[in-house]
Amino acid sequence: YFQLTMQVPGYWRFERIGQGAYADIYRGENASTRAKVAIKQYKNDPLSKSDLAQLAAELRASEVLKHKGIIR
């Protein structure tokens, strides 16, 4: 059992399939094409300065990634 949500417009979010220090990864689906995607949802936890620097580096690196399964 899982809760179906549409937090990203145009995409259905299903169960959590992974987690990291800063985000959870969910199985998702494009609502119109039914294409399978992964949705990365960043946590809203307080971060130390070093954690914030690490997260900022991760976000900068993700900006250059180009893939049909990555939605922004």
Side-chain angles (χ1 to χ4, degrees), residues 1 7-11 15 17 21 24 27 29 31-34 42 45 47 50 52-53 55-57 59 61 69 72:
Y1 174 77
Q7 292 184 335
V8 179
Y11 291 85
E15 74 276 5
I17 57 174
D24 293 323
R27 186 174 64 83
E29 183 178 285
S32 59
T33 68
R34 304 198 59 158
Y42 285 93
D45 296 339
L47 298 174
S50 63
L52 188 56
L55 177 57
L59 291 172
R72 302 197 189 279

Side-chain angles (χ1 to χ4, degrees), residues 20-24 41-59:
Y22 310 115
D24 293 323
Q41 182 175 356
Y42 285 93
K43 297 175 185 175
N44 196 20
D45 296 339
L47 298 174
S48 68
K49 286 185 179 184
S50 63
D51 285 342
L52 188 56
Q54 181 65 34
L55 177 57
E58 179 180 319
L59 291 172

